[in-house]
Amino acid sequence: MKAIKSKFSIASYLTIAGVVLIIVSSVLTIVTQVNDGSLDLIGEFIVFGWIVFYIIWWEVRNKIIVIKIHEQRITVKSLGITKSYILSNFDGYKLAEVHSKTKSYEHLYLFKNGKRMVLISSFYIANYKQFKDYIVYESTYLGIEPYGFINEFVQGFKQ
């Protein structure tokens, strides 16, 4: 089998650009307020910290990832951390449908011992279908995973 390596979608690049834009604009706002003497330090840092924490912790760490499948091994790299799994050691996979205003996307979750271990998103991975086709062929379908912001947020801390 030829190795499959993920390719980022445009949404991945836009998310990264958005993170940079939010950080730069927040820093510029804080610097301007310090110079004006109108800084609400606690409020600014709470809002800024929450946005950066959420985006980096959840969106970047769990979704904007480099995935490679080769010889029954799946390797996931995110924020400099690489994890490698043997595909046959997973219980199977579940699918979730994610709706936006303009389009629906699909998430594929790989489960091991009842726990979500890997998330592959059609929103962030341009060649998602290649991964899905391979995993569907090699793994057991475990059903539909309910999707909701709160559930995703909680699961982000469990991974």
Side-chain angles (χ1 to χ4, degrees):
M1 177 207 133
K2 185 179 174 188
I4 305 170
K5 187 173 180 185
S6 60
K7 297 172 186 165
F8 289 133
S9 68
I10 291 173
S12 297
Y13 293 111
L14 292 175
T15 300
I16 292 168
V19 168
V20 171
L21 184 64
I22 288 170
I23 291 171
V24 168
S25 66
S26 296
V27 168
L28 290 175
T29 300
I30 291 170
V31 168
T32 302
Q33 288 180 351
V34 166
N35 290 338
D36 292 347
S38 63
L39 177 67
D40 174 16
L41 193 62
I42 295 173
E44 295 289 336
F45 280 113
I46 288 173
V47 171
F48 174 70
W50 174 251
I51 291 170
V52 171
F53 174 77
Y54 172 76
I55 290 171
I56 291 174
W57 183 259
W58 180 244
E59 292 296 322
V60 175
R61 183 179 75 94
N62 291 316
K63 295 179 182 174
I64 302 178
I65 57 178
V66 176
I67 308 165
K68 184 177 179 181
I69 296 179
H70 184 64
E71 297 179 0
Q72 290 292 315
R73 182 167 291 281
I74 184 166
T75 304
V76 179
K77 187 185 296 185
S78 173
L79 296 177
I81 299 169
T82 302
K83 295 180 182 178
S84 189
Y85 308 95
I86 297 171
L87 197 54
S88 61
N89 287 347
F90 285 103
D91 304 337
Y93 69 95
K94 288 185 179 183
L95 299 173
E97 194 170 336
V98 182
H99 301 282
S100 72
K101 287 185 178 183
T102 59
K103 194 173 178 182
S104 290
Y105 300 93
E106 189 172 72
H107 286 182
L108 185 148
Y109 304 97
L110 288 170
F111 281 79
K112 184 175 183 180
N113 300 325
K115 182 179 175 189
R116 286 186 350 189
M117 301 299 290
V118 177
L119 161 61
I120 304 172
S121 172
S122 68
F123 185 76
Y124 293 103
I125 304 297
N127 57 338
Y128 169 82
K129 187 168 175 4
Q130 281 184 290
F131 285 96
K132 181 182 176 186
D133 290 347
Y134 184 81
I135 291 168
V136 165
Y137 182 75
E138 295 290 331
S139 298
T140 304
Y141 177 64
L142 301 174
I144 300 292
E145 178 76 355
Y147 182 85
F149 176 77
I150 294 172
N151 184 39
E152 290 297 304
F153 187 76
V154 169
Q155 290 297 326
F157 288 104
K158 291 182 178 180
Q159 290 181 324

